[in-house]
Amino acid sequence: MSNSLKHIPVAGPSITQKEIDYVTEAAATAWFDKANVFQQRFEAAMAARHRRAFATALPSCTAGLHLALEALGIGPGDEVIVPELTWIASSAPVAYVGATPVFADVDRDSWCLDAAALERAITPRTKAAIVVDLYGNMPDWAALESVALKHNIALIEDSAEAIGSMFRDRPAGAFGAASVFSFHGSKTLTTGEGGMLLTDDEALYRRCLMMRDHGRAPGDIMFFNDEVGFKYRMSAMQAALGVAQLERLDELVTRKRTIFGWYRDRLSDEEGFSLNQEASGVRNTYWMVTALIDAAFNVSKEALIPRLTAQGIGVRPFFYPLSAIPAYRGHPSSAGARERNPVAYDISWRGINLPSAYTMTPELVDRVCTALIAEIHALRTAA
Ligand SMILES: *Cc1c(COP(=O)(O)O)cnc(C)c1O
């Protein structure tokens, strides 16, 4: 394969000697009485960075959402509002606790949960909403918080894609009764697999600590568990990787914003696209650079993706509306969702994530954009 056709990954980490050194140290030393040292360092640094009182390192963000819902006392008969456009990990934990997800529409510019749509979706059974900072962007948190306050529902912030982002003077991860991060290998900050829950609510924190350790509170009698819980812990090696990555967070976020800038500059004179938006007062960390093709071009993501993949360009479809995927076929909240959530349905079919890994260079961005423009025009005239 010639060099120019080398595969361009859609996402991937930035690992330096620092990460290798910390993980090596953990593998060599983090045992016996030191088994939790790196987790505690990672938790303390994450809590401080996000101005939260408590943090718990977990094996995934999905586990964090599960624990948050459980600790909020959400269960059968309750409804939890979730934006239509997100990864299924945002909504799946609602089923783990026996509650019902209700899909609500997104804002046309931020692609995140819309406050008016949230309010319309609230019923007497609504207990909470999971708000997602999609692709590193931030919704209008002020408006969402005032709706939640008015209707007395809890918010959970799914900031899996948005570490380092800001809404006004508050960082992603500082919102809601609890917030959760993902450190999956594709994310801005990675531990391979991993997650963290942050909160200011001590009772919620203590409940999470107990339920993530098979229903045994820290320090309680061994093998004498109070409840049937879950097993959600992070290893020291993962935490060591996280500590190193967190020390580099500003550099990582700057890099993500630089990559986005290369795309924005390269595509600025091209018609037919828009990219991720950044409202005033928001800092978007552009986890995934995402192109939305103008509806008038009538070019779908599903037509475009195989043509780019064939050229070694790693792209992904914009999330499908959750109400449209097989997992939620026949689900009560999927009925009539296309009419109820028109913005999500309008955006999803014509959006694609472009290569956003730390390995991107201006030359690779140029190769991606040249191919993208050519294929869009080919499909447009073919139609
Ligand atoms: C990645 C992601 C998750 C899940 O994270 P895991 O660590 O894989 O459980 C949840 N929500 C969103 C929005 C994500 O992008």
Side-chain angles (χ1 to χ4, degrees):
M1 201 186 263
S2 81
N3 198 42
S4 69
L5 282 178
K6 244 178 80 178
H7 178 72
I8 305 176
V10 70
S14 165
I15 301 295
T16 64
Q17 192 60 41
K18 180 195 279 279
E19 282 82 352
I20 295 165
D21 288 346
Y22 284 25
V23 175
T24 304
E25 187 190 337
T29 68
W31 307 102
F32 308 108
D33 56 324
K34 294 201 180 71
N36 289 311
V37 170
F38 279 99
Q39 293 90 324
Q40 285 162 1
R41 264 175 75 184
F42 191 27
E43 289 166 349
M46 282 288 288
R49 170 106 197 181
H50 299 96
R51 300 177 215 154
R52 288 289 211 178
F54 307 102
T56 310
L58 300 168
S60 69
C61 175
T62 306
L65 289 168
H66 184 190
L67 285 173
L69 291 164
E70 200 284 336
L72 287 167
I74 291 164
D78 297 335
E79 293 176 354
V80 177
I81 295 167
V82 181
E84 277 276 16
L85 297 183
T86 183
W87 172 225
I88 194 171
S90 305
S91 64
V94 177
Y96 302 172
V97 297
T100 303
V102 172
F103 309 122
D105 210 359
V106 301
D107 174 75
R108 189 168 285 287
D109 296 321
S110 72
W111 307 335
C112 300
L113 184 63
D114 175 68
L118 169 66
E119 187 156 35
R120 280 196 303 276
I122 291 172
T123 75
R125 294 179 154 203
T126 307
K127 289 284 161 54
I130 294 170
V131 180
V132 182
D133 303 324
L134 200 77
Y135 300 142
N137 209 349
M138 298 291 276
D140 183 346
W141 272 102
L144 292 166
E145 283 177 329
S146 73
V147 170
L149 195 65
K150 180 172 154 200
H151 295 274
N152 192 29
I153 63 164
L155 297 179
I156 299 169
E157 182 185 13
D158 180 348
S159 32
E161 304 177 355
I163 194 163
S165 296
M166 302 281 291
F167 176 79
R168 300 185 187 159
D169 60 348
R170 292 160 71 192
F175 295 85
S179 51
V180 289
F181 285 103
S182 171
F183 311 123
H184 177 261
S186 66
K187 299 288 159 61
T188 297
L189 184 159
T190 189
T191 61
E193 294 278 2
M196 199 172 289
L197 180 146
L198 276 65
T199 183
D200 296 316
D201 179 337
E202 182 160 7
L204 188 147
Y205 169 66
R206 301 233 164 267
R207 178 84 192 156
C208 289
L209 287 187
M210 187 185 79
M211 291 308 281
R212 68 92 168 254
D213 203 17
H214 280 306
R216 173 182 174 258
D220 274 6
I221 308 170
M222 203 171 260
F223 308 136
F224 207 66
N225 312 52
D226 284 325
E227 284 185 52
V228 175
F230 323 113
K231 175 63 198 301
Y232 288 155
R233 299 186 72 103
M234 176 183 273
S235 77
M237 279 70 73
Q238 291 169 302
L241 189 47
V243 170
Q245 289 260 288
L246 189 56
E247 288 177 6
R248 295 181 53 229
L249 182 59
D250 293 334
E251 176 199 335
L252 294 174
V253 165
T254 301
R255 186 77 184 169
K256 282 287 189 187
R257 289 180 60 85
T258 300
I259 294 167
F260 179 80
W262 293 332
Y263 277 104
R264 186 193 48 219
D265 294 349
R266 174 63 180 79
L267 293 171
S268 61
D269 293 332
E270 300 290 340
E271 49 153 3
F273 293 96
S274 49
L275 297 177
N276 317 54
Q277 303 289 304
E278 186 177 58
S280 86
V282 166
R283 179 169 69 170
N284 188 338
T285 49
Y286 305 112
W287 171 56
M288 281 279 165
V289 178
T290 299
L292 211 56
I293 300 141
D294 286 358
F297 278 55
N298 198 29
V299 173
S300 76
K301 64 184 178 189
E302 288 181 343
L304 198 51
I305 286 170
R307 288 167 167 256
L308 293 169
T309 306
Q311 297 178 51
I313 297 171
V315 288
R316 288 180 178 175
F318 203 118
F319 292 120
Y320 288 82
L322 288 172
S323 61
I325 66 175
Y328 290 111
R329 193 170 290 151
H331 188 275
S333 183
S334 298
R338 179 184 288 273
E339 292 70 37
R340 209 166 48 247
N341 301 325
V343 178
Y345 275 83
D346 174 46
I347 288 172
S348 171
W349 69 276
R350 56 195 174 88
I352 63 167
N353 304 136
L354 302 175
S356 306
Y358 289 105
T359 44
M360 291 306 289
T361 61
E363 294 69 33
L364 290 175
V365 166
D366 183 61
R367 189 182 132 200
V368 171
C369 293
T370 302
L372 178 69
I373 293 158
E375 295 304 338
I376 285 174
H377 287 280
L379 284 165
R380 186 190 183 193
T381 46

